[in-house]
């Protein structure tokens, strides 16, 4: 039978080096996967990658924390009224 995926609820966002020093290798692969794509295809690839990884994480609290951290990292002020 099919097993239900394990979900870690309210898992904190990991911001330490989760690549054990190989983050540059992943970044190089991330750049390489975009080679030969149009701008629209590249945006679509990024969107699909984000959705695949979000599904893998499966915890809305962690994903919200990641969204906030990513938005903050590009200098966007997220004040809420």
């Amino acid at each position: 039978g099919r097993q239900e995926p394990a979900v870690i609820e309210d898992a904190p966002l990991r911001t330490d080096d989760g690549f054990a020093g190989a983050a540059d290798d992943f970044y190089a692969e991330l750049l390489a996967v975009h080679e030969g794509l149009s701008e629209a295809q590249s945006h679509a690839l990024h969107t699909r990658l984000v959705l695949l990884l979000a599904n893998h994480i499966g915890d809305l609290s962690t994903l919200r924390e990641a969204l906030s951290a990513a938005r903050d990292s590009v200098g966007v002020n997220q004040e809420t009224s």
Side-chain angles (χ1 to χ4, degrees), residues 27-71:
Y27 188 70
E29 290 188 37
L30 181 60
L31 293 178
V33 78
H34 288 272
E35 289 178 12
L37 300 181
S38 69
E39 186 175 351
Q41 290 170 320
S42 185
H43 286 294
L45 184 148
H46 256 155
T47 300
R48 185 65 182 142
L49 178 60
V50 166
L51 293 173
L52 286 166
L53 293 173
N55 184 66
H56 179 73
I57 292 166
D59 178 62
L60 189 54
S61 176
T62 302
L63 294 168
R64 285 180 177 142
E65 190 176 348
L67 288 169
S68 180
R71 188 170 173 99

Side-chain angles (χ1 to χ4, degrees), residues 19 25 29 35 73:
F19 290 96
D25 294 339
E29 290 188 37
E35 289 178 12
S73 76

